[in-house]
Amino acid sequence: MLQRWGVHPDSHKFPAATLDIVNAGLPPALVIPLSQHSGAPARPVVKIGDTVLRGQLIAEAGGRISAPLHAPTSGVIAAIGEATMAHPAGLGGPAITLHPDGLDQWTERHAEPYPITLAPDEITRRVAAAGIVGLGGASFPSAVKLELGRRSQIDTVILNGSECEPYLSCDDRLMQECAADIIEGARLIMRSTGAQRVLVGIEDNKPEAVAAMKVAAHPFPEVSVVRIPSRYPMGADRQLIQTLTGIEAPADGRAADVGIVVHNVGTAYAVQRALRHGEPLTERVVTVAGGAVTAPRNLRVRLGTPLSWLFERCGGLRGVPARVVVGGPMMGVGVPDIDTPVVKGSSGALALTAAEVGEREPSACIRCGSCVSACPVGLMPLDMAALIQANELGRAEDIGLGDCLTCGACGFVCPSRIPLVQYFNHGKGELWAREREGRKLDRVRELTEARAARVEQEAREKAEAHARRKAERAAAAAEAARKETTA
């Protein structure tokens, strides 16, 4: 099947993709945000002044859709309060600040020599306890996905090794260096969900990763490593599913609805570390790159490490970057502060030059149709943007705003440099706000109606009680009169 969607941005993956992963070391302070995942923020279980060990629980899950946090190293809890976050407006959020003691001493770990023999429920429980979330960027709690898989009769686990965003090569290096661990993690995910096979999709611009993963998967016939075309956004779930299986996942549903669950290769690696070695998620591999970085490469980074520390480990910055991005340049978050901490979903720390950013003022649309051709889900980006500009959000939703991946492919190819994705993000935000306000009004109405019904019931009960007492008094008076007459 000929696929016409997507774009082919310059990869910018070298030299980082050719160099071994290096440990970033420990900065003077680690700032660990309580919200590093989809869902409710974690709740602290430590207090200022507490001494903790690496891997020790410092914040518990804040709800069913949430994930716990663990100390990235040993040290002392120095603060619990507002801190800088990876937010485009530089907004802060609650975080735990840890001052490392330099010993990096682990808490007690419970290793499992043969984790594949664990029951599916036990695998899921340990994944949840380890605080593992999707490491591709979405950061959805992995245990929730595993539970969903068992309920939805999953047949296929897809491991996402596409890494289609420019600059990023952390998954590529992880596959080259830790292929056997990733395959074991994939088999554990398969066992937990009850699936029958694993498909590992890797873009064809990563031949070394493909080779390493095929060697690691060779003893397991249920695991297949598949070379897929290099095209952005190949890493989106629906595109990856259709490319690997030919199945089109419903636009308004989940991959599980067609018997498939998708996990990132970094997530599979974290699952293997948690089950075989008893290690909760306290670090991840981050690509440090961009034209303003002196020596780009991939670093193994403790969660909570500031971006500035990563840039220093890569030779420092060559001048002031035009933009600093957490994640990839297409879907990542631009941040104004280079002390923003690394979180579980931080796949990249990019310091981009003005030439790389390439910003210029937008001009009028020339109706070339490039945005339509690039859209991976077959939408009409310019029409949606026009409706959003006209504040006709309902009509924009009718023609597919909810299906938009906000991948940025349309804006990337637009010769007029119209900020299409910004319009879509604004429109989605407004719809979400209206939906939230609608839910609030519905709740107020429900409470008002319930109160009115309660008041009416109380009034009815009072009237009935009054009538009953009146009847009782009348009956008592009649009885007294009868007795008096008889006497």
mmCIF file of all heavy atoms in Angstrom, residues 144-192:
data_model
loop_
_atom_site.group_PDB
_atom_site.id
_atom_site.type_symbol
_atom_site.label_atom_id
_atom_site.label_comp_id
_atom_site.label_asym_id
_atom_site.label_seq_id
_atom_site.Cartn_x
_atom_site.Cartn_y
_atom_site.Cartn_z
ATOM 1 N N VAL A 144 -1.149 0.586 33.696
ATOM 2 C CA VAL A 144 -2.535 0.763 33.273
ATOM 3 C C VAL A 144 -2.726 0.166 31.886
ATOM 4 O O VAL A 144 -3.737 -0.482 31.592
ATOM 5 C CB VAL A 144 -2.926 2.251 33.288
ATOM 6 C CG1 VAL A 144 -4.362 2.444 32.817
ATOM 7 C CG2 VAL A 144 -2.759 2.831 34.691
ATOM 8 N N LYS A 145 -1.736 0.362 31.006
ATOM 9 C CA LYS A 145 -1.792 -0.234 29.670
ATOM 10 C C LYS A 145 -1.787 -1.758 29.745
ATOM 11 O O LYS A 145 -2.480 -2.437 28.991
ATOM 12 C CB LYS A 145 -0.594 0.233 28.831
ATOM 13 C CG LYS A 145 -0.856 1.421 27.939
ATOM 14 C CD LYS A 145 0.288 1.570 26.957
ATOM 15 C CE LYS A 145 0.045 2.712 25.993
ATOM 16 N NZ LYS A 145 1.130 2.812 24.987
ATOM 17 N N LEU A 146 -0.982 -2.303 30.649
ATOM 18 C CA LEU A 146 -0.916 -3.749 30.780
ATOM 19 C C LEU A 146 -2.257 -4.304 31.263
ATOM 20 O O LEU A 146 -2.731 -5.337 30.768
ATOM 21 C CB LEU A 146 0.198 -4.148 31.749
ATOM 22 C CG LEU A 146 1.623 -3.746 31.339
ATOM 23 C CD1 LEU A 146 2.629 -4.255 32.366
ATOM 24 C CD2 LEU A 146 1.973 -4.276 29.957
ATOM 25 N N GLU A 147 -2.875 -3.636 32.219
ATOM 26 C CA GLU A 147 -4.194 -4.068 32.700
ATOM 27 C C GLU A 147 -5.227 -3.990 31.587
ATOM 28 O O GLU A 147 -6.036 -4.904 31.407
ATOM 29 C CB GLU A 147 -4.634 -3.182 33.865
ATOM 30 C CG GLU A 147 -3.841 -3.384 35.144
ATOM 31 C CD GLU A 147 -4.251 -2.402 36.224
ATOM 32 O OE1 GLU A 147 -5.091 -1.528 35.921
ATOM 33 O OE2 GLU A 147 -3.741 -2.500 37.346
ATOM 34 N N LEU A 148 -5.181 -2.905 30.823
ATOM 35 C CA LEU A 148 -6.106 -2.734 29.701
ATOM 36 C C LEU A 148 -5.911 -3.850 28.688
ATOM 37 O O LEU A 148 -6.878 -4.374 28.122
ATOM 38 C CB LEU A 148 -5.882 -1.372 29.040
ATOM 39 C CG LEU A 148 -6.692 -1.091 27.768
ATOM 40 C CD1 LEU A 148 -8.170 -1.052 28.095
ATOM 41 C CD2 LEU A 148 -6.252 0.229 27.137
ATOM 42 N N GLY A 149 -4.645 -4.236 28.470
ATOM 43 C CA GLY A 149 -4.357 -5.294 27.517
ATOM 44 C C GLY A 149 -5.044 -6.598 27.876
ATOM 45 O O GLY A 149 -5.614 -7.273 27.017
ATOM 46 N N ARG A 150 -5.018 -6.949 29.152
ATOM 47 C CA ARG A 150 -5.647 -8.207 29.561
ATOM 48 C C ARG A 150 -7.169 -8.140 29.396
ATOM 49 O O ARG A 150 -7.808 -9.123 29.045
ATOM 50 C CB ARG A 150 -5.281 -8.531 31.013
ATOM 51 C CG ARG A 150 -3.898 -9.088 31.170
ATOM 52 C CD ARG A 150 -3.748 -9.860 32.476
ATOM 53 N NE ARG A 150 -4.080 -9.049 33.642
ATOM 54 C CZ ARG A 150 -3.255 -8.164 34.188
ATOM 55 N NH1 ARG A 150 -2.056 -7.976 33.668
ATOM 56 N NH2 ARG A 150 -3.610 -7.475 35.246
ATOM 57 N N ARG A 151 -7.744 -6.975 29.631
ATOM 58 C CA ARG A 151 -9.202 -6.848 29.504
ATOM 59 C C ARG A 151 -9.644 -6.820 28.042
ATOM 60 O O ARG A 151 -10.786 -7.137 27.743
ATOM 61 C CB ARG A 151 -9.688 -5.570 30.198
ATOM 62 C CG ARG A 151 -9.503 -5.578 31.703
ATOM 63 C CD ARG A 151 -10.392 -4.517 32.349
ATOM 64 N NE ARG A 151 -10.148 -3.193 31.816
ATOM 65 C CZ ARG A 151 -9.280 -2.332 32.324
ATOM 66 N NH1 ARG A 151 -8.542 -2.683 33.363
ATOM 67 N NH2 ARG A 151 -9.136 -1.133 31.810
ATOM 68 N N SER A 152 -8.752 -6.440 27.141
ATOM 69 C CA SER A 152 -9.144 -6.218 25.743
ATOM 70 C C SER A 152 -8.739 -7.350 24.809
ATOM 71 O O SER A 152 -8.819 -7.190 23.596
ATOM 72 C CB SER A 152 -8.519 -4.900 25.247
ATOM 73 O OG SER A 152 -8.887 -3.826 26.073
ATOM 74 N N GLN A 153 -8.301 -8.462 25.339
ATOM 75 C CA GLN A 153 -7.902 -9.613 24.516
ATOM 76 C C GLN A 153 -6.857 -9.204 23.465
ATOM 77 O O GLN A 153 -7.075 -9.310 22.266
ATOM 78 C CB GLN A 153 -9.120 -10.243 23.849
ATOM 79 C CG GLN A 153 -10.122 -10.820 24.848
ATOM 80 C CD GLN A 153 -11.295 -11.503 24.185
ATOM 81 O OE1 GLN A 153 -11.727 -11.116 23.110
ATOM 82 N NE2 GLN A 153 -11.810 -12.531 24.829
ATOM 83 N N ILE A 154 -5.735 -8.745 23.972
ATOM 84 C CA ILE A 154 -4.646 -8.297 23.107
ATOM 85 C C ILE A 154 -3.997 -9.495 22.408
ATOM 86 O O ILE A 154 -3.710 -10.518 23.022
ATOM 87 C CB ILE A 154 -3.589 -7.529 23.927
ATOM 88 C CG1 ILE A 154 -4.188 -6.223 24.458
ATOM 89 C CG2 ILE A 154 -2.338 -7.241 23.106
ATOM 90 C CD1 ILE A 154 -4.640 -5.268 23.388
ATOM 91 N N ASP A 155 -3.762 -9.337 21.128
ATOM 92 C CA ASP A 155 -3.088 -10.383 20.342
ATOM 93 C C ASP A 155 -1.640 -10.008 20.047
ATOM 94 O O ASP A 155 -0.764 -10.868 19.976
ATOM 95 C CB ASP A 155 -3.839 -10.604 19.027
ATOM 96 C CG ASP A 155 -3.089 -11.532 18.082
ATOM 97 O OD1 ASP A 155 -3.085 -12.748 18.345
ATOM 98 O OD2 ASP A 155 -2.474 -11.046 17.109
ATOM 99 N N THR A 156 -1.392 -8.697 19.877
ATOM 100 C CA THR A 156 -0.081 -8.239 19.412
ATOM 101 C C THR A 156 0.453 -7.102 20.269
ATOM 102 O O THR A 156 -0.263 -6.143 20.561
ATOM 103 C CB THR A 156 -0.169 -7.748 17.946
ATOM 104 O OG1 THR A 156 -0.661 -8.808 17.123
ATOM 105 C CG2 THR A 156 1.191 -7.287 17.438
ATOM 106 N N VAL A 157 1.715 -7.225 20.677
ATOM 107 C CA VAL A 157 2.443 -6.121 21.301
ATOM 108 C C VAL A 157 3.355 -5.514 20.241
ATOM 109 O O VAL A 157 4.131 -6.229 19.599
ATOM 110 C CB VAL A 157 3.289 -6.596 22.500
ATOM 111 C CG1 VAL A 157 4.223 -5.477 22.974
ATOM 112 C CG2 VAL A 157 2.399 -7.058 23.638
ATOM 113 N N ILE A 158 3.234 -4.220 20.034
ATOM 114 C CA ILE A 158 4.137 -3.512 19.119
ATOM 115 C C ILE A 158 5.131 -2.725 19.942
ATOM 116 O O ILE A 158 4.749 -1.978 20.859
ATOM 117 C CB ILE A 158 3.361 -2.585 18.168
ATOM 118 C CG1 ILE A 158 2.609 -3.408 17.123
ATOM 119 C CG2 ILE A 158 4.305 -1.593 17.479
ATOM 120 C CD1 ILE A 158 1.816 -2.564 16.141
ATOM 121 N N LEU A 159 6.401 -2.919 19.629
ATOM 122 C CA LEU A 159 7.467 -2.178 20.287
ATOM 123 C C LEU A 159 7.918 -1.073 19.335
ATOM 124 O O LEU A 159 8.369 -1.352 18.214
ATOM 125 C CB LEU A 159 8.630 -3.113 20.624
ATOM 126 C CG LEU A 159 9.351 -2.866 21.965
ATOM 127 C CD1 LEU A 159 8.363 -2.900 23.103
ATOM 128 C CD2 LEU A 159 10.435 -3.892 22.175
ATOM 129 N N ASN A 160 7.785 0.163 19.780
ATOM 130 C CA ASN A 160 8.068 1.321 18.940
ATOM 131 C C ASN A 160 9.548 1.692 19.034
ATOM 132 O O ASN A 160 9.993 2.265 20.026
ATOM 133 C CB ASN A 160 7.187 2.494 19.374
ATOM 134 C CG ASN A 160 7.324 3.702 18.459
ATOM 135 O OD1 ASN A 160 8.166 3.728 17.568
ATOM 136 N ND2 ASN A 160 6.482 4.688 18.676
ATOM 137 N N GLY A 161 10.297 1.361 17.991
ATOM 138 C CA GLY A 161 11.703 1.742 17.890
ATOM 139 C C GLY A 161 11.940 2.658 16.714
ATOM 140 O O GLY A 161 13.066 2.758 16.211
ATOM 141 N N SER A 162 10.880 3.335 16.256
ATOM 142 C CA SER A 162 11.006 4.153 15.039
ATOM 143 C C SER A 162 11.874 5.386 15.272
ATOM 144 O O SER A 162 12.724 5.714 14.452
ATOM 145 C CB SER A 162 9.624 4.587 14.554
ATOM 146 O OG SER A 162 8.973 5.360 15.541
ATOM 147 N N GLU A 163 11.637 6.069 16.391
ATOM 148 C CA GLU A 163 12.389 7.288 16.735
ATOM 149 C C GLU A 163 12.528 8.194 15.516
ATOM 150 O O GLU A 163 13.619 8.481 15.018
ATOM 151 C CB GLU A 163 13.775 6.935 17.295
ATOM 152 C CG GLU A 163 14.414 8.076 18.062
ATOM 153 C CD GLU A 163 15.616 7.632 18.866
ATOM 154 O OE1 GLU A 163 16.459 6.900 18.317
ATOM 155 O OE2 GLU A 163 15.707 8.006 20.047
ATOM 156 N N CYS A 164 11.361 8.676 15.059
ATOM 157 C CA CYS A 164 11.330 9.403 13.787
ATOM 158 C C CYS A 164 11.652 10.890 13.912
ATOM 159 O O CYS A 164 11.893 11.545 12.897
ATOM 160 C CB CYS A 164 9.946 9.226 13.147
ATOM 161 S SG CYS A 164 8.570 9.703 14.224
ATOM 162 N N GLU A 165 11.647 11.436 15.127
ATOM 163 C CA GLU A 165 11.940 12.873 15.263
ATOM 164 C C GLU A 165 13.404 13.171 14.960
ATOM 165 O O GLU A 165 14.297 12.382 15.301
ATOM 166 C CB GLU A 165 11.617 13.343 16.683
ATOM 167 C CG GLU A 165 10.139 13.585 16.922
ATOM 168 C CD GLU A 165 9.875 14.953 17.530
ATOM 169 O OE1 GLU A 165 10.497 15.942 17.099
ATOM 170 O OE2 GLU A 165 9.022 15.015 18.434
ATOM 171 N N PRO A 166 13.691 14.315 14.338
ATOM 172 C CA PRO A 166 15.085 14.718 14.117
ATOM 173 C C PRO A 166 15.852 14.837 15.439
ATOM 174 O O PRO A 166 15.257 15.016 16.504
ATOM 175 C CB PRO A 166 14.958 16.092 13.445
ATOM 176 C CG PRO A 166 13.601 16.089 12.818
ATOM 177 C CD PRO A 166 12.740 15.267 13.739
ATOM 178 N N TYR A 167 17.151 14.712 15.367
ATOM 179 C CA TYR A 167 18.097 14.862 16.481
ATOM 180 C C TYR A 167 18.081 13.673 17.444
ATOM 181 O O TYR A 167 19.138 13.248 17.918
ATOM 182 C CB TYR A 167 17.844 16.156 17.283
ATOM 183 C CG TYR A 167 18.105 17.420 16.526
ATOM 184 C CD1 TYR A 167 17.080 18.069 15.851
ATOM 185 C CD2 TYR A 167 19.382 17.986 16.460
ATOM 186 C CE1 TYR A 167 17.295 19.240 15.139
ATOM 187 C CE2 TYR A 167 19.616 19.157 15.752
ATOM 188 C CZ TYR A 167 18.574 19.780 15.087
ATOM 189 O OH TYR A 167 18.796 20.925 14.381
ATOM 190 N N LEU A 168 16.937 13.138 17.772
ATOM 191 C CA LEU A 168 16.862 12.118 18.814
ATOM 192 C C LEU A 168 17.476 10.795 18.361
ATOM 193 O O LEU A 168 17.183 10.297 17.268
ATOM 194 C CB LEU A 168 15.407 11.876 19.234
ATOM 195 C CG LEU A 168 14.644 13.099 19.755
ATOM 196 C CD1 LEU A 168 13.251 12.681 20.213
ATOM 197 C CD2 LEU A 168 15.406 13.784 20.872
ATOM 198 N N SER A 169 18.314 10.207 19.224
ATOM 199 C CA SER A 169 18.927 8.905 18.922
ATOM 200 C C SER A 169 19.077 8.057 20.183
ATOM 201 O O SER A 169 19.810 7.071 20.180
ATOM 202 C CB SER A 169 20.291 9.098 18.242
ATOM 203 O OG SER A 169 21.171 9.874 19.040
ATOM 204 N N CYS A 170 18.378 8.448 21.259
ATOM 205 C CA CYS A 170 18.512 7.690 22.514
ATOM 206 C C CYS A 170 17.976 6.270 22.371
ATOM 207 O O CYS A 170 18.592 5.315 22.878
ATOM 208 C CB CYS A 170 17.821 8.423 23.659
ATOM 209 S SG CYS A 170 16.102 8.883 23.357
ATOM 210 N N ASP A 171 16.863 6.088 21.650
ATOM 211 C CA ASP A 171 16.336 4.739 21.447
ATOM 212 C C ASP A 171 17.250 3.924 20.544
ATOM 213 O O ASP A 171 17.439 2.716 20.754
ATOM 214 C CB ASP A 171 14.940 4.803 20.838
ATOM 215 C CG ASP A 171 13.888 5.274 21.837
ATOM 216 O OD1 ASP A 171 14.208 5.344 23.040
ATOM 217 O OD2 ASP A 171 12.755 5.581 21.414
ATOM 218 N N ASP A 172 17.801 4.568 19.527
ATOM 219 C CA ASP A 172 18.740 3.901 18.615
ATOM 220 C C ASP A 172 19.926 3.344 19.399
ATOM 221 O O ASP A 172 20.278 2.157 19.293
ATOM 222 C CB ASP A 172 19.200 4.920 17.565
ATOM 223 C CG ASP A 172 20.088 4.299 16.495
ATOM 224 O OD1 ASP A 172 20.372 3.082 16.552
ATOM 225 O OD2 ASP A 172 20.515 5.041 15.588
ATOM 226 N N ARG A 173 20.545 4.169 20.223
ATOM 227 C CA ARG A 173 21.707 3.710 21.003
ATOM 228 C C ARG A 173 21.309 2.636 22.012
ATOM 229 O O ARG A 173 22.030 1.663 22.221
ATOM 230 C CB ARG A 173 22.352 4.875 21.744
ATOM 231 C CG ARG A 173 23.100 5.878 20.901
ATOM 232 C CD ARG A 173 24.115 5.283 19.968
ATOM 233 N NE ARG A 173 24.991 4.293 20.585
ATOM 234 C CZ ARG A 173 25.931 3.632 19.933
ATOM 235 N NH1 ARG A 173 26.099 3.832 18.623
ATOM 236 N NH2 ARG A 173 26.701 2.753 20.551
ATOM 237 N N LEU A 174 20.133 2.792 22.631
ATOM 238 C CA LEU A 174 19.675 1.802 23.595
ATOM 239 C C LEU A 174 19.481 0.449 22.927
ATOM 240 O O LEU A 174 19.870 -0.598 23.480
ATOM 241 C CB LEU A 174 18.366 2.277 24.241
ATOM 242 C CG LEU A 174 17.935 1.567 25.527
ATOM 243 C CD1 LEU A 174 18.961 1.762 26.634
ATOM 244 C CD2 LEU A 174 16.565 2.067 25.972
ATOM 245 N N MET A 175 18.923 0.453 21.711
ATOM 246 C CA MET A 175 18.735 -0.812 20.988
ATOM 247 C C MET A 175 20.068 -1.430 20.602
ATOM 248 O O MET A 175 20.233 -2.654 20.634
ATOM 249 C CB MET A 175 17.852 -0.594 19.753
ATOM 250 C CG MET A 175 16.394 -0.342 20.088
ATOM 251 S SD MET A 175 15.305 -0.276 18.640
ATOM 252 C CE MET A 175 15.741 1.327 17.940
ATOM 253 N N GLN A 176 21.030 -0.610 20.230
ATOM 254 C CA GLN A 176 22.339 -1.141 19.851
ATOM 255 C C GLN A 176 23.072 -1.735 21.053
ATOM 256 O O GLN A 176 23.727 -2.774 20.941
ATOM 257 C CB GLN A 176 23.194 -0.038 19.233
ATOM 258 C CG GLN A 176 22.723 0.435 17.860
ATOM 259 C CD GLN A 176 23.683 1.421 17.237
ATOM 260 O OE1 GLN A 176 24.892 1.162 17.156
ATOM 261 N NE2 GLN A 176 23.180 2.561 16.807
ATOM 262 N N GLU A 177 22.950 -1.082 22.214
ATOM 263 C CA GLU A 177 23.745 -1.475 23.380
ATOM 264 C C GLU A 177 23.033 -2.426 24.332
ATOM 265 O O GLU A 177 23.694 -3.150 25.088
ATOM 266 C CB GLU A 177 24.188 -0.219 24.139
ATOM 267 C CG GLU A 177 25.066 0.708 23.300
ATOM 268 C CD GLU A 177 25.511 1.953 24.061
ATOM 269 O OE1 GLU A 177 25.667 1.862 25.299
ATOM 270 O OE2 GLU A 177 25.690 3.009 23.420
ATOM 271 N N CYS A 178 21.708 -2.439 24.326
ATOM 272 C CA CYS A 178 20.952 -3.229 25.314
ATOM 273 C C CYS A 178 19.840 -4.044 24.652
ATOM 274 O O CYS A 178 18.750 -4.197 25.219
ATOM 275 C CB CYS A 178 20.356 -2.310 26.386
ATOM 276 S SG CYS A 178 21.556 -1.238 27.218
ATOM 277 N N ALA A 179 20.109 -4.575 23.467
ATOM 278 C CA ALA A 179 19.070 -5.255 22.696
ATOM 279 C C ALA A 179 18.471 -6.439 23.446
ATOM 280 O O ALA A 179 17.246 -6.622 23.469
ATOM 281 C CB ALA A 179 19.640 -5.708 21.349
ATOM 282 N N ALA A 180 19.302 -7.262 24.064
ATOM 283 C CA ALA A 180 18.795 -8.451 24.749
ATOM 284 C C ALA A 180 17.862 -8.072 25.900
ATOM 285 O O ALA A 180 16.830 -8.725 26.121
ATOM 286 C CB ALA A 180 19.961 -9.295 25.267
ATOM 287 N N ASP A 181 18.206 -7.014 26.638
ATOM 288 C CA ASP A 181 17.358 -6.568 27.747
ATOM 289 C C ASP A 181 16.012 -6.059 27.221
ATOM 290 O O ASP A 181 14.962 -6.297 27.832
ATOM 291 C CB ASP A 181 18.055 -5.457 28.531
ATOM 292 C CG ASP A 181 19.314 -5.949 29.232
ATOM 293 O OD1 ASP A 181 19.458 -7.169 29.423
ATOM 294 O OD2 ASP A 181 20.159 -5.103 29.588
ATOM 295 N N ILE A 182 16.032 -5.344 26.100
ATOM 296 C CA ILE A 182 14.788 -4.819 25.522
ATOM 297 C C ILE A 182 13.890 -5.966 25.066
ATOM 298 O O ILE A 182 12.672 -5.955 25.313
ATOM 299 C CB ILE A 182 15.107 -3.870 24.349
ATOM 300 C CG1 ILE A 182 15.819 -2.612 24.851
ATOM 301 C CG2 ILE A 182 13.825 -3.486 23.602
ATOM 302 C CD1 ILE A 182 16.366 -1.723 23.754
ATOM 303 N N ILE A 183 14.471 -6.964 24.415
ATOM 304 C CA ILE A 183 13.670 -8.109 23.967
ATOM 305 C C ILE A 183 13.070 -8.845 25.167
ATOM 306 O O ILE A 183 11.903 -9.261 25.134
ATOM 307 C CB ILE A 183 14.512 -9.064 23.110
ATOM 308 C CG1 ILE A 183 14.937 -8.376 21.799
ATOM 309 C CG2 ILE A 183 13.757 -10.352 22.816
ATOM 310 C CD1 ILE A 183 13.792 -7.948 20.907
ATOM 311 N N GLU A 184 13.837 -8.997 26.233
ATOM 312 C CA GLU A 184 13.288 -9.636 27.424
ATOM 313 C C GLU A 184 12.133 -8.810 27.991
ATOM 314 O O GLU A 184 11.092 -9.362 28.391
ATOM 315 C CB GLU A 184 14.358 -9.838 28.496
ATOM 316 C CG GLU A 184 13.822 -10.550 29.729
ATOM 317 C CD GLU A 184 14.869 -10.823 30.787
ATOM 318 O OE1 GLU A 184 15.952 -10.202 30.743
ATOM 319 O OE2 GLU A 184 14.607 -11.656 31.676
ATOM 320 N N GLY A 185 12.296 -7.486 28.023
ATOM 321 C CA GLY A 185 11.216 -6.617 28.484
ATOM 322 C C GLY A 185 9.978 -6.749 27.616
ATOM 323 O O GLY A 185 8.848 -6.770 28.128
ATOM 324 N N ALA A 186 10.170 -6.872 26.316
ATOM 325 C CA ALA A 186 9.041 -7.040 25.397
ATOM 326 C C ALA A 186 8.309 -8.349 25.663
ATOM 327 O O ALA A 186 7.074 -8.410 25.626
ATOM 328 C CB ALA A 186 9.538 -6.995 23.953
ATOM 329 N N ARG A 187 9.053 -9.415 25.946
ATOM 330 C CA ARG A 187 8.428 -10.713 26.231
ATOM 331 C C ARG A 187 7.674 -10.668 27.563
ATOM 332 O O ARG A 187 6.634 -11.316 27.720
ATOM 333 C CB ARG A 187 9.490 -11.808 26.236
ATOM 334 C CG ARG A 187 10.115 -12.047 24.862
ATOM 335 C CD ARG A 187 11.204 -13.101 24.899
ATOM 336 N NE ARG A 187 10.655 -14.399 25.278
ATOM 337 C CZ ARG A 187 11.082 -15.132 26.312
ATOM 338 N NH1 ARG A 187 12.073 -14.667 27.089
ATOM 339 N NH2 ARG A 187 10.540 -16.300 26.582
ATOM 340 N N LEU A 188 8.173 -9.894 28.508
ATOM 341 C CA LEU A 188 7.463 -9.732 29.778
ATOM 342 C C LEU A 188 6.158 -8.958 29.575
ATOM 343 O O LEU A 188 5.119 -9.294 30.173
ATOM 344 C CB LEU A 188 8.360 -9.012 30.791
ATOM 345 C CG LEU A 188 9.555 -9.830 31.292
ATOM 346 C CD1 LEU A 188 10.544 -8.936 32.033
ATOM 347 C CD2 LEU A 188 9.093 -10.971 32.190
ATOM 348 N N ILE A 189 6.200 -7.934 28.733
ATOM 349 C CA ILE A 189 4.979 -7.194 28.399
ATOM 350 C C ILE A 189 3.991 -8.124 27.705
ATOM 351 O O ILE A 189 2.784 -8.110 27.993
ATOM 352 C CB ILE A 189 5.311 -5.980 27.508
ATOM 353 C CG1 ILE A 189 6.088 -4.930 28.308
ATOM 354 C CG2 ILE A 189 4.046 -5.366 26.922
ATOM 355 C CD1 ILE A 189 6.645 -3.793 27.474
ATOM 356 N N MET A 190 4.494 -8.959 26.799
ATOM 357 C CA MET A 190 3.641 -9.907 26.091
ATOM 358 C C MET A 190 2.969 -10.861 27.072
ATOM 359 O O MET A 190 1.768 -11.130 26.973
ATOM 360 C CB MET A 190 4.468 -10.685 25.062
ATOM 361 C CG MET A 190 3.648 -11.637 24.189
ATOM 362 S SD MET A 190 4.650 -12.573 23.015
ATOM 363 C CE MET A 190 5.455 -13.710 24.137
ATOM 364 N N ARG A 191 3.735 -11.380 28.016
ATOM 365 C CA ARG A 191 3.167 -12.301 29.004
ATOM 366 C C ARG A 191 2.123 -11.599 29.866
ATOM 367 O O ARG A 191 1.064 -12.166 30.154
ATOM 368 C CB ARG A 191 4.271 -12.883 29.886
ATOM 369 C CG ARG A 191 3.732 -13.794 31.001
ATOM 370 C CD ARG A 191 4.789 -14.674 31.598
ATOM 371 N NE ARG A 191 4.293 -15.411 32.759
ATOM 372 C CZ ARG A 191 3.491 -16.469 32.712
ATOM 373 N NH1 ARG A 191 3.069 -16.925 31.526
ATOM 374 N NH2 ARG A 191 3.103 -17.081 33.814
ATOM 375 N N SER A 192 2.394 -10.378 30.261
ATOM 376 C CA SER A 192 1.462 -9.658 31.113
ATOM 377 C C SER A 192 0.139 -9.395 30.411
ATOM 378 O O SER A 192 -0.927 -9.464 31.031
ATOM 379 C CB SER A 192 2.077 -8.332 31.567
ATOM 380 O OG SER A 192 1.169 -7.593 32.341
#
